[in-house]
Amino acid sequence: MNRRMIWLGVAAIIATLGIGLAFMIEKVAVNAPSIVMNDSEMRVTFSSPLDESGLSGEEVYVTDESGEKVDAAIQVAGNGQALEIDPLPKGDYTLHISDEVLGGGLFKTLTANRVPFSIMDSLEPLTKKQLTDYFERLAKRMKEQQEGFGIFAEGEEAVEESASADSAGASEHSATNVQEAGVDEADSVKTDGSYIYSAMEGEVVITDIRNPANLSTASEITFWEHVWPDRLFLQDDLLIVLGQRYGAADIQSSSEKSPPVEMMPHIEMTAIYFYDISDPANPELVREISTEGHLNSARIANGVLYFVTNVYKMAYWNGGSLEEDNLRPFLYDSKNDSGLQPIPYEQLTILPGTLEGAYSITSAVDLDDSAQNELMTKGFLGSSEQLYMTEETLYLTATNYVPAESEAEDAPEMGFWGPQDANTGIFKFLLDGTAVAFDASAEVTGTLLNQFSMDEHEGNLRVATTEHNWGFPEEQLSENQLFILDKDLNVTGSVEGLARGERIYSVRFMGDKAYVVTFRETDPLFVIDVSDPAAPEVLGELKIPGFSNYLHPLDDQHLIGFGMETELEPVKGAPPMVVTKGMKISLFDVTDPLNPIEEDVELIGDAGTYSPIMHDHKALLAIPDRNLYGFPVAISREDREMGMELESQGAFLLEITADGIEREADLTVSDENDYFNSFEMVERIVYSGDSLYTVAPGKIASYDMDSYEQTDVLEYTIQ
């Protein structure tokens, strides 16, 4: 009995030591892509720094598909938490990494000692086995990271659609304010001059504005309760409605209020409906197409509709099924009358430099015969966030998280996951009709603000980013940079270390100049010469209070900034605090790029004043031939006793010329309630002929553009 008790005690001690040792061992996560192009470096990141003394040919090496070692140049990169392998020939390889590279003895171990990867000269379609292998590898990596508290997979950020083309020239009616001339962008409100089409509060309303003094509802398009339309395109007699469908299905009558018959739970689709509006009073649904995922963005160029959706296939989480139908995104096309169908394998591939369970799905359809032309769809494994498009090229970006700088040994340990540094992956696609072909990829330091952070000019892509854009640790100051990349996305020149301690608030590229607004306590406007792709340089800088969220070109020597005024308020025993005040519209004169000046300023309201133009350029009405610029606004006033109070909401119209800014019309209406009424909040302003129209979810109002007197108002009944 005593001997048995002794052995039990020894076993308990050994078990306790084993458990304790297991907790003492740090598992270092390994993050690597599965596909790399043959002109790019292979980059592998780690959640802990490497010991360079352990990097020998025996500890780190590469083998080919036959298991033979290959001559590969491998070096430590960045902050010591990455390995880079110089470009290799096309083929399948495995990177072998010993735990010795960590220099931690028995107390550090890698979650993976072998990393398979492929070098390609072009993207190739996936087979069923390749797709399953990809997700199995991804599932394994996710499990390892959860166990080892390693770095997290690439994430997705909210996408903001953001605009060098004017919304209207000498046209008789307004058009959407877009970024690129010839490339239309989806918006919640469109007009053809005779009717206003609006997608708000889950339905589409067509309003007859042919008689501004007698507005009337021509028709309403209602949808099934789980369909939420929010964006529109207008092409001659074709109305295109874009929205999200939740809880998706066999979709055959989803534009009506009756639910589809064949339900498929836990799936989100981007649904697009094509209506013949030759008779706006009786819109006729001629086709419906849907792709799985959330709508990233959509464009129309050269008569072709392009749209990109993002879907995260969660099947590999928590022991989910890796059956093929769980791994491929779904499509629906009413023209084929075949219900939901997975994207064929030959239309699936992997974006280089990625390993994640998200797809970016590109779709295109020729609008010449929208009811019958083929829907061309491709699924690219790899997430995307910002979208920028010209008539010939499409660019998608994705955030690539990288290990943050190691903390000091005596730094306190944080009990939560903090954000890491991040770079931006850029993917370029060539457009030829409905063909969307991958062309090149690159990675630049830092992250983008929005689509305005990109611009293509004479075949070169210009990109502005912010590095260390997290706010902590305080000693790791943010900084900004501008990169110029050639047609193959090789960096040809850059400006780096711009405005340390600040981040980018707005960017505008105008020909051979770039204008960048950063902010922390003041608003520096930088003028950057980008005429030489190999040597961009800062020419001038203007520091003023406040900041601009959106920059709009007035002419070649002037631009308009829409943003907020700020003040520095003293704080006892601490640095001054930046306080946001009212809305600020600035006119910048950049005639002398070495000495930009703020020529004029218009201030509206106090703290709490809001306009959607702060985050959505399409909220701007620009009528350049009349020098008029309008935007929705809700004006707040500061009251010593009551604090901030809503004073009025509606729209503002300014006359802006090179000589200055003048108030043209205040179309706001006083509100007895001390809160924002979303149904009354104007979201868009359009014009047709000599009338101006403000569009809110609950009503449309018309105004005479000579007197700005209201001529009529039409209220809606929200279903």
Side-chain angles (χ1 to χ4, degrees), residues 499-520:
R500 287 179 58 82
E502 302 180 1
R503 70 174 179 87
I504 291 175
Y505 269 59
S506 58
V507 182
R508 197 65 193 226
F509 293 94
M510 294 167 55
D512 60 3
K513 298 291 190 301
Y515 302 95
V516 179
V517 169
T518 62
F519 180 76
R520 185 172 183 179

Side-chain angles (χ1 to χ4, degrees), residues 22 61 64 79-80 149 170 244 253 289 378 407 470 570 590 623:
Y61 59 92
D64 59 22
N79 55 16
F149 302 99
Q244 298 303 132
S253 59
I289 57 178
K378 290 184 178 180
E407 298 179 357
W470 305 109
V590 291
I623 316 176

Side-chain angles (χ1 to χ4, degrees), residues 245-435:
R245 175 198 317 285
Y246 303 94
D250 185 32
I251 315 179
Q252 296 181 11
S253 59
S254 57
S255 64
E256 302 171 2
K257 287 197 170 181
S258 58
V261 177
E262 182 185 324
M263 293 299 297
M264 186 173 183
H266 311 302
I267 187 172
E268 178 186 4
M269 305 285 287
T270 292
I272 300 181
Y273 308 94
F274 299 85
Y275 288 91
D276 179 347
I277 52 168
S278 52
D279 178 8
N282 295 286
E284 179 186 355
L285 179 65
V286 296
R287 188 178 183 181
E288 177 186 349
I289 57 178
S290 298
T291 61
E292 188 177 355
H294 188 79
L295 180 63
N296 178 324
S297 198
R299 302 286 188 274
I300 289 180
N302 300 316
V304 177
L305 167 65
Y306 302 92
F307 62 99
V308 176
T309 59
N310 298 119
V311 57
Y312 212 95
K313 302 299 285 187
M314 303 294 286
Y316 60 89
W317 284 86
N318 299 321
S321 171
L322 290 177
E323 295 179 4
E324 60 174 303
D325 285 348
N326 290 330
L327 305 182
R328 291 187 288 165
F330 286 92
L331 302 174
Y332 170 78
D333 189 344
S334 63
K335 181 175 74 73
N336 299 328
D337 194 27
S338 56
L340 286 172
Q341 297 294 322
I343 296 180
Y345 287 104
E346 59 268 22
Q347 295 173 16
L348 299 177
T349 190
I350 304 172
L351 287 174
T354 63
L355 179 62
E356 53 184 310
Y359 284 92
S360 294
I361 304 172
T362 64
S363 301
V365 62
D366 193 327
L367 299 178
D368 180 56
D369 185 358
S370 58
Q372 295 299 324
N373 284 334
E374 289 298 317
L375 171 66
M376 306 300 291
T377 301
K378 290 184 178 180
F380 297 90
L381 274 163
S383 65
S384 60
E385 294 150 12
Q386 301 300 333
L387 181 153
Y388 164 70
M389 197 180 111
T390 70
E391 292 185 273
E392 299 175 343
T393 53
L394 169 70
Y395 295 90
L396 296 175
T397 71
T399 300
N400 297 333
Y401 292 105
V402 297
E405 296 285 351
S406 299
E407 298 179 357
E409 291 183 4
D410 57 350
E413 182 177 350
M414 292 188 296
F416 60 91
W417 176 79
Q420 301 156 318
D421 286 340
N423 294 333
T424 297
I426 303 173
F427 305 100
K428 178 183 179 181
F429 302 83
L430 300 181
L431 306 177
D432 183 8
T434 56

Side-chain angles (χ1 to χ4, degrees), residues 498-499 502 514-518 524-528 538 540-542 596:
L498 190 67
E502 302 180 1
Y515 302 95
V516 179
V517 169
T518 62
L525 170 69
F526 293 93
V527 181
I528 304 175
V538 176
E541 176 184 354
L542 170 66

